[in-house]
Amino acid sequence: MSTPVWITATPPATHGELHIGHLAGPYVAADVLTRYLRAEGEPVRFTTGTADHASSVEVRALRHNRKPEEVAEGYRAAITADWLRSGVEFDHIVRPRRDKGYARWVQELFSRLYAQGVIAPRTRLLPYCEPCERWLHGAHVTGSCPHCGATSDGGMCHECARPNDGGDLISPRCSLCDTPAQAKRCRRLYVPLEPFRETLAEYWAEAGLPPRLAALCESLVEDGLPDIAVGHPADWGLPVPVEGFPEHRIDGCFEAAAMHLFGYDTKGPLPRRTIHFCGFGHAFCHAVLLPVLLLAQDVKLPQEFNVNESYIVEEGVREGNVWALDLLTEYGSDTLRRHVLQARPTGRRTVFQRDRLAAARLELDENWNSWLARLFASVREECDGLAPQAMPGGTGWEILERRLHRGVDDLREAYGPDAFDPRRAVAVLDEMVRSVADFGHVNAHERCRPSNSCRHLPSLAAQLAVASALSAWSRPVMPEGADRLASALQVAPGRPVDWSALIAPLPGTRLAPPSGPVYGF
């Protein structure tokens, strides 16, 4: 077997449940690409993890008088269940507090990098809260980003994706008690990035970064690559395995980058292609820190980046109305997946509007499901529920075939990694369904012609061929409905997205349509 394509998605912090913005970001899109490549026969390794040691987990625990491990475990279970309900299927989800050998592996990597001089001590200013008697790092501190002025936690600004050192935040305050923080000198461990200037610049040039990410990386080089803190004085997280830092914990961004390497053993055969899905606010870990960890070990991977912007909840929408679990329960995975792909924030922010989610369900009901319901009803009434003894045909079939052929080419381009555009894929699928539905309406009148009672059967066979193809062509977007349709037609699920899928069930095959809608519910 050839070496796989490695696809990653950002490990979410386990301080809360998934909301619709997470699904609209890296997860559903990465799953679409994975499903398409697998249907093509490509070996794929699809991985992520859960950021259980993120500082935000400890902050939530402190606010609710709970233990951080309880918070992390509870939300980790909820997040993985939501992935499963939404049809996002990973090959490996790294569980930092459960995977055997994980902690030792990360600490050994940290120790090797320290021994190589990649990690070095520095003494810098760090916010400190006197009332809480706590050093403030990550989610423990909030202030204004020194680069863009947006509200930011310590360590990373999710608005401009540039790192800060905590001590350079403007007007820092304690996230727990809201007391203005004091800046105190603190000795921590850092990864100085400047020694990697030339290799990173070469790496970014070869990677073909998206424009906004390229602008970030070029500005980092122009301003002078910073030193990145990879350890903090803290109570939560993996202990720093370096003498002289007994109460320090490994930084969450470092661990998130290392987590990807744990999920894919880089000591074995290297992937021939690596594609990272992440939000722009997390791009620094993927595009800067992860390559440094690899380059420091003389590992150079061909890496690409699929970066999304933020998916914002519109004003007036209550937070409880956007949780993935609630929306999946109300709308189902097919509707929610096609909606977040249509609304995917590529290149610009988009706003969640519930009426557009309702419109996605309406599209499935009024076009997809209504056409399939008419088709199955006609087969039941005219052919006793069996695939007709006829070749695909009917008025306009040759024109529809040509349109579908062009549509398959568009679909393959939209699904493929070189021009990945799931929004385009949804639009092409909708156009295919509208076209075949029109074809079905036009040819339904053949039953009324007294000259030949079987003139309508070729059009039924043609529509069954299109339905069979759609069970393959739509599966990357809506796997639940696609597999339901394949089962109804007695055809194999998960076939390639190509012209060969356009073939009707064998004549005489007894169809088994579901009692409810095929797509969604």
Side-chain angles (χ1 to χ4, degrees), residues 27 86 205 220 225 289 300 416 452-453 477 509-510:
Y27 304 117
S86 61
L220 289 172
L225 292 171
L289 194 54
K300 190 173 183 181
N452 190 331
S453 61
V477 171
T509 300
R510 179 164 296 283

Side-chain angles (χ1 to χ4, degrees), residues 12 16-28 311 323:
E17 299 178 34
L18 290 183
H19 55 71
I20 191 171
H22 293 114
L23 296 180
Y27 304 117
V28 171
Y311 190 48
W323 297 122

Side-chain angles (χ1 to χ4, degrees), residues 19-71:
H19 55 71
I20 191 171
H22 293 114
L23 296 180
Y27 304 117
V28 171
D31 183 76
V32 168
L33 178 58
T34 299
R35 288 179 182 274
Y36 170 73
L37 292 176
R38 284 192 175 136
E40 292 293 296
E42 294 269 8
V44 179
R45 177 76 169 167
F46 184 26
T47 67
T48 189
T50 54
D52 296 353
H53 296 135
S55 56
S56 56
V57 174
E58 183 182 20
V59 169
R60 187 177 186 94
L62 290 169
R63 284 176 175 166
H64 296 275
N65 196 27
R66 299 178 63 192
K67 295 180 179 180
E69 51 266 35
E70 294 175 350
V71 171

Side-chain angles (χ1 to χ4, degrees), residues 414-467:
Y415 280 147
D418 295 330
F420 184 68
D421 187 355
R423 184 188 295 111
R424 172 63 180 158
V426 173
V428 172
L429 289 168
D430 283 343
E431 178 60 28
M432 287 176 165
V433 170
R434 293 190 189 102
S435 295
V436 71
D438 289 344
F439 171 84
H441 281 301
V442 168
N443 283 274
H445 297 286
E446 293 285 4
R447 285 177 292 183
C448 302
R449 295 174 61 168
S451 59
N452 190 331
S453 61
C454 295
R455 292 180 66 96
H456 63 288
L457 296 184
S459 69
L460 291 182
Q463 291 177 76
L464 288 173
V466 178

Side-chain angles (χ1 to χ4, degrees), residues 347-502:
R348 80 280 184 263
R349 290 182 170 184
T350 55
V351 178
F352 169 63
Q353 295 175 319
R354 198 178 182 91
D355 60 339
R356 294 184 181 178
L357 177 57
R361 177 157 64 184
L362 191 64
E363 175 69 26
L364 290 179
D365 287 342
E366 290 191 344
N367 292 309
W368 291 65
N369 290 324
S370 62
W371 163 61
L372 288 170
R374 291 195 303 273
L375 174 59
F376 287 133
S378 295
V379 173
R380 183 178 63 252
E381 295 166 4
E382 304 296 330
C383 308
D384 197 28
L386 304 178
Q389 298 283 344
M391 294 293 293
T395 301
W397 174 237
E398 294 81 3
I399 296 173
L400 179 58
E401 269 193 306
R402 290 197 296 271
R403 289 178 180 172
L404 292 172
H405 202 174
R406 292 193 296 270
V408 171
D409 290 340
D410 283 349
L411 265 183
R412 290 180 62 83
E413 180 181 71
Y415 280 147
D418 295 330
F420 184 68
D421 187 355
R423 184 188 295 111
R424 172 63 180 158
V426 173
V428 172
L429 289 168
D430 283 343
E431 178 60 28
M432 287 176 165
V433 170
R434 293 190 189 102
S435 295
V436 71
D438 289 344
F439 171 84
H441 281 301
V442 168
N443 283 274
H445 297 286
E446 293 285 4
R447 285 177 292 183
C448 302
R449 295 174 61 168
S451 59
N452 190 331
S453 61
C454 295
R455 292 180 66 96
H456 63 288
L457 296 184
S459 69
L460 291 182
Q463 291 177 76
L464 288 173
V466 178
S468 174
L470 282 173
S471 73
W473 298 347
S474 68
R475 192 172 190 271
V477 171
M478 295 177 286
E480 185 176 3
D483 287 352
R484 196 179 292 136
L485 180 56
S487 177
L489 298 172
Q490 307 294 322
V491 298
R495 291 167 294 154
V497 179
D498 59 23
W499 188 246
S500 67
L502 189 66

Side-chain angles (χ1 to χ4, degrees), residues 312-370:
I312 308 167
V313 177
E314 65 180 348
E315 292 185 12
V317 175
R318 290 183 294 109
E319 189 176 36
N321 287 342
V322 297
W323 297 122
L325 174 59
D326 296 335
L327 294 175
L328 286 165
T329 301
E330 183 176 356
Y331 289 91
S333 68
D334 288 337
T335 301
L336 195 60
R337 282 174 67 105
R338 64 166 287 137
H339 167 71
V340 299
L341 293 172
Q342 286 181 301
R344 181 166 163 74
T346 303
R348 80 280 184 263
R349 290 182 170 184
T350 55
V351 178
F352 169 63
Q353 295 175 319
R354 198 178 182 91
D355 60 339
R356 294 184 181 178
L357 177 57
R361 177 157 64 184
L362 191 64
E363 175 69 26
L364 290 179
D365 287 342
E366 290 191 344
N367 292 309
W368 291 65
N369 290 324
S370 62

